[in-house]
C-alpha cells in the first residue's frame, strides 16, 4: 500500500512539474497567441463565426474557394462595422495546376456619377460644409441635409465625393464576386456556402465592437429610417450578448439561395447565374435601385443590371526567388511589387528588423511607391497605365537612386516609367486639405479572409465597404457601400470619377509562391496602410525567418506620405507612425533623419493581418492572426 501511495505521489509530482514546465514555456513565449497548424486546412478571418463558416465548408468536402466564399458571406452579415453585403471584395485564387487569377470584385460608379455632378453640387452648396441649423455637437458637426437622405462632409467646397450616404455608393460587388469564384474555381453550391450567413442573419450574439460602432454611429445612420430600424431595435442600442437579428437581409439571402435551387435542374453554372441575376437583374436589384433613386442617390437598377464581376490576370513580381501576386492597377496592390523591387537592392537582413536603417529605408521606398500609385493607378478600362514599366527591375534601380539613407524626403516624387527616368519632370500633389471630416463619418475599414486547403489551393480576399454608418436599401436589408469616395474630382488624376468607372481602391489581397509551389496568403484591413502592413509581415517571414504569428505581432510602422484614398484626401508630408514597442533610441534616430514622428500605443497601428503559410513537403499549414484587432485563425 505504501509503495502504491509513494508511486502515486511521485507520479502526481511529475505531472505537476510537467504542467508547471509547460506553463512556464507558454508564459515565456514570444507571441500572445500560438501559431495554429493543421494538414487539412487553415481558415483565417475577422470574426470567429466568420471563420467557423469557412471551416464548416472545408469539413464538408469543400475546397479553399468554397470555404473562402462562405467566410466572406458570413462576414458580410456579422462584421457590419467594417464590411457588409453591399460592399466589395477583390479575391486572389490559386488552384493546383492552374494560374493565379483575380476575381475583380469592385463595383463601378453609377451612370449618373459624373465629375461635373460633384463639382456643380459643391458650387450649388456655396462651399458650405456644415448645416447652420444642425445642433452644435461632436456627433453632428460637419453634417448637412443637402437633400433627402443625403448627408455630406465638411469640405464639400472642394468638390469631394461624400464619404457616406447615398451619393457614395458604387454597384454592390460582393455577391457576384462570390458567385464568380464559386462558378470558376469552387465545387459547392451557393446555397450551401451561404447557409451560415443566413443563420447569422437570423440572429447572432452581438459583440462589444459592433455595439460600440452602433452607439457612436447612431447620430448619422438614424437619419435613414431603415438603418435606424435595424441597428436600433426598439429604438435602443443593443446590449453586448443580445441576439442581433437582420430579418430583411435574411429574407434576401434566402431568396437568392432559392433562386439557385429552383434552377438546379439546368446545371450548376446556370443555377449560380440564376442566383446572381435574382440580385442584380431581378427583384432585389430593382428595389435597391428604386430606393437609391428616391432617396438622394445616383445608383439605379440599370447600374446593377449592367455590371458583372470579371476574372482578370494578377500583377506579378519576384523578390529573392518568391513570386508575389497582387490585383491589377485598379487597386493599390501592384505598389507592393514596386516597393519590393526597390528593397531588393538592400541587405535588409544585415540592417536588422526594425533598426533605424531598416525603418528609414522601407519608409522611403514606400513613399516612392505611393507617389507612383497616386500619379498612375486607376481603372485600366479608362486610363492607360505603363504597367510593365512600373513593375520592372530596371525602373526600380533608377528610382532607388532617389533614396537618401540619412534624410527623410518631404516631397511627393512620382517617377517617369515611360521614359525610364527616376523622376517625373513636373508634377503637383493631388491634395484637398479643404476641411476636416468628423470622425464618425470617416472610412471605417475592412476585414480579411485567407484560406489554404489540404491540396495547397489558395484563397486571399479583402472584403470591405458598406460599413456603419451606411444607408440600408429599404426592405432588402442590404447596406450600401461608400467606395465612390475613393475617386477624385481632379480632372488630371487617373482616378477621376466617371460613369461606369471603378475608383482606385486600397483593397489588396496577397498571394505568394516559392519555386512555383504554394507558400503564403495574407491580407489585412487598414486602408492606405494595408500594403505597408503586409509588406512588413512578408519581410518578417522571408527576411527574418519569423513564423506567421510572430510576423503579425511584431511592432510596425506606417507612413502617411501619400494622397489619402478616403475622406478629404489629405497629403501628410513626412509623417511616420511608429508603435511605441519600437525602442526609444530607434525612434530618436528616425527623428534625427527628419521623419515627422507620431508615436502610437504599443499595438496602435490600424492594420490587423492574417497570414497562412504552406509547407509543400510536409503538407503542414500554419496560420497567424493579429491580436491588434479581432483576427482569428482555425486549423484542421
Amino acid at each position: 500500500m505504501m509503495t502504491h501511495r509513494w508511486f502515486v505521489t511521485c507520479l502526481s509530482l511529475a505531472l505537476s512539474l510537467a504542467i508547471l514546465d509547460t506553463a512556464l514555456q507558454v508564459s515565456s513565449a514570444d507571441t500572445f497567441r500560438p501559431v495554429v497548424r493543421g494538414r487539412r486546412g487553415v481558415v483565417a478571418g475577422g470574426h470567429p463565426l466568420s471563420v467557423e463558416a469557412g471551416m464548416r465548408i472545408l469539413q464538408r468536402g469543400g475546397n479553399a474557394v468554397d470555404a473562402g466564399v462562405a467566410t466572406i458571406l458570413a462576414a458580410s452579415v456579422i462584421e457590419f462595422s467594417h464590411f457588409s453585403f453591399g460592399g466589395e471584395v477583390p479575391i486572389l485564387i490559386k488552384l493546383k495546376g492552374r494560374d493565379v487569377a483575380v476575381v475583380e470584385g469592385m463595383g463601378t460608379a453609377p451612370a449618373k456619377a459624373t465629375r461635373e455632378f460633384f463639382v456643380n453640387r459643391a458650387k450649388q452648396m456655396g462651399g458650405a460644409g456644415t448645416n447652420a441649423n444642425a445642433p452644435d455637437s461632436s456627433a453632428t458637426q460637419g453634417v448637412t441635409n443637402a437633400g433627402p437622405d443625403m448627408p455630406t462632409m465638411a469640405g464639400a467646397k472642394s468638390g469631394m465625393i461624400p464619404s457616406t450616404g447615398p451619393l457614395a455608393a458604387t454597384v454592390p460587388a460582393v455577391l457576384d464576386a462570390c458567385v464568380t469564384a464559386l462558378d470558376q474555381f469552387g465545387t459547392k453550391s451557393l446555397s450551401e456556402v451561404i447557409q451560415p450567413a443566413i443563420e447569422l442573419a437570423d440572429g447572432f450574439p452581438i459583440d462589444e465592437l459592433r455595439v460600440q460602432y452602433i452607439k457612436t454611429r447612431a447620430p448619422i445612420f438614424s437619419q435613414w429610417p431603415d438603418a435606424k430600424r435595424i441597428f436600433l431595435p426598439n429604438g435602443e442600442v443593443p446590449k453586448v450578448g443580445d441576439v442581433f437579428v437582420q430579418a430583411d437581409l435574411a429574407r434576401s439571402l434566402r431568396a437568392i439561395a432559392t433562386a439557385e435551387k429552383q434552377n438546379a435542374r439546368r446545371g450548376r453554372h446556370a443555377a449560380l447565374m440564376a442566383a446572381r441575376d435574382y440580385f442584380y437583374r431581378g427583384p432585389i436589384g430593382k428595389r435597391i435601385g428604386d430606393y437609391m433613386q428616391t432617396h438622394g442617390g445616383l445608383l439605379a437598377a440599370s447600374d446593377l443590371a449592367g455590371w458583372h464581376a470579371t476574372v482578370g490576370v494578377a500583377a506579378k513580381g519576384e523578390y529573392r526567388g518568391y513570386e508575389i501576386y497582387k490585383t491589377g492597377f485598379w487597386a493599390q496592390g501592384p505598389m507592393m511589387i514596386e516597393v519590393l523591387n526597390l528593397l531588393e537592392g538592400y541587405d535588409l537582413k544585415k540592417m536588422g528588423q526594425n533598426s533605424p536603417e531598416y525603418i528609414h529605408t522601407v519608409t522611403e521606398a514606400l513613399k516612392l511607391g505611393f507617389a507612383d500609385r497616386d500619379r498612375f493607378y486607376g481603372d485600366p478600362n479608362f486610363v492607360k497605365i505603363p504597367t510593365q514599366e512600373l513593375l520592372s527591375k530596371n525602373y526600380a534601380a533608377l528610382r532607388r537612386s532617389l533614396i537618401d539613407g540619412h534624410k527623410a524626403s518631404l516631397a511627393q516624387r512620382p517617377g517617369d516609367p515611360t521614359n525610364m527616368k527616376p523622376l517625373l519632370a513636373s508634377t503637383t500633389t493631388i491634395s484637398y486639405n479643404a476641411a476636416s471630416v468628423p470622425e464618425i463619418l470617416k472610412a471605417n475599414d475592412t476585414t480579411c479572409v485567407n484560406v489554404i486547403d489540404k491540396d495547397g489551393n489558395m484563397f486571399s480576399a479583402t472584403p470591405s465597404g458598406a460599413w456603419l454608418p451606411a444607408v440600408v436599401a429599404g426592405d432588402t436589408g442590404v447596406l450600401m457601400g461608400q467606395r465612390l469616395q475613393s475617386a477624385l474630382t481632379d480632372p488630371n488624376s487617373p482616378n477621376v470619377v466617371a460613369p461606369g468607372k471603378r475608383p482606385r481602391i486600397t483593397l489588396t489581397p496577397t498571394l505568394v509562391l516559392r519555386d512555383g509551389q504554394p507558400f503564403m496568403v495574407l491580407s489585412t484591413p487598414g486602408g492606405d496602410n494595408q500594403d505597408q502592413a503586409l509588406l512588413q509581415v512578408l519581410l518578417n517571414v522571408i527576411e527574418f525567418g519569423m513564423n506567421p504569428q510572430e510576423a503579425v505581432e511584431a511592432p510596425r510602422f506606417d507612413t502617411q506620405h501619400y494622397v489619402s484614398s478616403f475622406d478629404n484626401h489629405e497629403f501628410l508630408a513626412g509623417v511616420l507612425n511608429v508603435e511605441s514597442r519600437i525602442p526609444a533610441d530607434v525612434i530618436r534616430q528616425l527623428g534625427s533623419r527628419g521623419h515627422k514622428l507620431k508615436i502610437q500605443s504599443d499595438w496602435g497601428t490600424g492594420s490587423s493581418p492574417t497570414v497562412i503559410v504552406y509547407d509543400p513537403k510536409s503538407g503542414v499549414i500554419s496560420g497567424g492572426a493579429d491580436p491588434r484587432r479581432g483576427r482569428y485563425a482555425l486549423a484542421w
Side-chain angles (χ1 to χ4, degrees):
M1 180 66 71
M2 288 297 293
T3 302
H4 175 68
R5 287 179 179 173
W6 177 84
F7 174 76
V8 171
T9 301
C10 289
L11 180 61
S12 298
L13 179 61
L15 288 171
S16 298
L17 288 171
I19 293 170
L20 177 61
D21 181 61
T22 300
L24 288 172
Q25 289 178 19
V26 171
S27 65
S28 63
D30 292 329
T31 57
F32 277 114
R33 294 178 179 176
V35 178
V36 300
R37 295 184 177 90
R39 297 187 66 193
R40 290 175 286 187
V42 171
V43 181
H47 191 286
L49 295 178
S50 304
V51 176
E52 185 278 330
M55 185 58 69
R56 189 192 312 184
I57 299 302
L58 274 188
Q59 291 176 338
R60 292 180 178 176
N63 67 8
V65 177
D66 301 317
V69 168
T71 307
I72 290 169
L73 292 172
S76 78
V77 174
I78 58 177
E79 297 185 44
F80 52 76
S81 55
H82 297 79
F83 160 65
S84 73
F85 193 70
E88 49 275 343
V89 55
I91 304 170
L92 287 173
I93 295 171
K94 173 67 174 76
L95 293 190
K96 189 175 182 179
R98 295 175 63 176
D99 292 336
V100 177
V102 185
V103 178
E104 299 185 349
M106 179 60 234
T108 54
K112 295 180 180 179
T114 64
R115 173 183 174 273
E116 291 72 23
F117 170 84
F118 291 104
V119 172
N120 290 336
R121 172 176 171 271
K123 292 178 180 177
Q124 291 168 5
M125 293 176 65
T130 58
N131 180 358
N133 298 318
D136 184 16
S137 72
S138 60
T140 58
Q141 214 166 23
V143 183
T144 180
N145 293 320
D149 285 4
M150 196 192 303
T152 186
M153 303 185 302
K157 61 186 178 184
S158 305
M160 289 185 297
I161 298 165
S163 57
T164 193
L167 288 177
T170 52
V171 175
V174 170
L175 179 63
D176 201 13
C178 288
V179 168
T180 300
L182 285 177
D183 184 39
Q184 300 195 30
F185 306 99
T187 67
K188 294 290 187 179
S189 67
L190 178 64
S191 302
E192 187 167 357
V193 300
I194 207 173
Q195 183 58 33
I198 293 172
E199 295 169 8
L200 292 167
D202 283 336
F204 71 94
I206 195 167
D207 60 18
E208 290 82 355
L209 178 64
R210 255 50 68 170
V211 168
Q212 181 64 20
Y213 265 79
I214 290 173
K215 182 178 180 180
T216 57
R217 272 66 181 180
I220 303 301
F221 70 70
S222 289
Q223 64 189 298
W224 304 309
D226 293 290
K228 182 178 182 180
R229 171 173 56 84
I230 292 169
F231 293 103
L232 296 175
N234 300 316
E236 298 180 352
V237 175
K239 296 181 177 63
V240 173
D242 283 356
V243 175
F244 184 73
V245 176
Q246 298 173 76
D248 291 348
L249 181 59
R251 189 183 314 110
S252 292
L253 297 180
R254 279 193 171 90
I256 293 166
T258 298
E260 182 193 39
K261 293 174 183 176
Q262 290 175 341
N263 288 272
R265 64 186 181 280
R266 299 169 53 205
R268 182 172 181 270
H269 171 75
L272 285 168
M273 292 305 103
R276 66 89 52 201
D277 286 348
Y278 186 88
F279 181 88
Y280 288 93
R281 298 180 177 180
I284 297 178
K286 185 178 186 306
R287 297 210 302 279
I288 289 174
D290 290 347
Y291 180 92
M292 297 297 280
Q293 288 287 295
T294 57
H295 290 78
L298 299 178
L299 195 70
S302 57
D303 294 312
L304 278 78
W307 184 78
H308 207 308
T310 58
V311 176
V313 177
K316 178 185 177 183
E318 291 187 3
Y319 180 79
R320 306 198 196 285
Y322 293 85
E323 302 163 37
I324 316 296
Y325 292 88
K326 304 290 286 187
T327 64
F329 287 79
W330 48 274
Q332 75 173 1
M335 189 197 78
M336 179 194 277
I337 298 172
E338 282 199 64
V339 177
L340 286 169
N341 286 343
L342 289 166
L343 294 176
E344 203 168 31
Y346 297 92
D347 190 342
L348 300 179
K349 190 177 296 184
K350 185 177 180 180
M351 289 181 183
Q353 197 262 354
N354 280 351
S355 68
E357 295 76 17
Y358 174 82
I359 294 176
H360 175 79
T361 302
V362 173
T363 298
E364 294 305 296
L366 283 164
K367 290 177 182 178
L368 294 176
F370 274 122
D372 278 350
R373 182 201 75 170
D374 295 338
R375 178 63 182 81
F376 298 107
Y377 290 25
D379 187 341
N381 296 329
F382 285 75
V383 294
K384 186 177 181 180
I385 305 167
T387 57
Q388 293 184 346
E389 294 85 351
L390 283 167
L391 300 185
S392 73
K393 300 287 187 180
N394 290 337
Y395 178 65
L398 294 169
R399 295 280 279 159
R400 196 179 297 125
S401 66
L402 299 176
I403 296 178
D404 185 331
H406 303 286
K407 185 178 180 182
S409 170
L410 299 181
Q412 190 186 42
R413 300 183 293 174
D416 186 352
T418 302
N419 297 302
M420 277 294 161
K421 294 181 179 180
L423 200 59
L424 198 61
S426 63
T427 186
T428 56
T429 298
I430 301 168
S431 178
Y432 287 99
N433 298 305
S436 61
V437 176
E439 190 65 32
I440 55 174
L441 282 178
K442 288 186 176 180
N444 293 332
D445 222 6
T446 298
T447 188
C448 57
V449 173
N450 292 292
V451 186
I452 297 181
D453 66 23
K454 61 181 176 58
D455 297 315
N457 295 316
M458 310 170 77
F459 183 98
S460 182
T462 314
S464 187
W467 50 61
L468 279 187
V471 175
V472 176
D475 64 356
T476 68
V478 177
L479 280 70
M480 301 308 297
Q482 306 94 340
R483 190 60 59 173
L484 197 61
Q485 68 174 295
S486 290
L488 300 176
T489 54
D490 186 325
N492 298 314
S493 171
N495 189 32
V496 63
V497 66
K501 184 180 180 182
R502 293 171 289 184
R504 195 273 303 145
I505 59 175
T506 58
L507 308 178
T508 180
T510 313
L511 191 151
V512 183
L513 305 181
R514 180 170 55 184
D515 299 324
Q517 297 297 310
F519 179 65
M520 181 164 58
V521 288
L522 60 163
S523 59
T524 184
D528 291 294
N529 188 14
Q530 287 181 30
D531 272 311
Q532 303 194 62
L534 296 176
L535 175 74
Q536 291 172 69
V537 171
L538 181 72
L539 294 174
N540 287 344
V541 174
I542 292 175
E543 294 284 6
F544 304 109
M546 295 185 188
N547 68 43
Q549 193 62 36
E550 291 170 329
V552 296
E553 289 194 17
R556 290 200 295 273
F557 53 92
D558 64 274
T559 180
Q560 291 185 282
H561 187 97
Y562 49 74
V563 177
S564 172
S565 299
F566 303 97
D567 306 316
N568 58 344
H569 305 289
E570 288 182 295
F571 178 81
L572 302 176
V575 173
L576 179 63
N577 296 325
V578 181
E579 287 188 328
S580 56
R581 284 184 292 148
I582 291 174
D585 184 60
V586 172
I587 294 174
R588 180 188 61 78
Q589 291 190 51
L590 291 170
S592 70
R593 284 174 162 88
H595 296 283
K596 298 179 182 179
L597 296 170
K598 289 187 177 180
I599 311 305
Q600 299 173 310
S601 62
D602 283 1
W603 302 83
T605 187
S607 56
S608 187
T610 62
V611 55
I612 304 174
V613 176
Y614 180 80
D615 183 346
K617 293 182 179 178
S618 65
V620 172
I621 312 167
S622 306
D626 196 335
R628 286 173 177 83
R629 281 198 259 160
R631 304 296 105 181
Y632 301 86
L634 285 178
W636 182 38

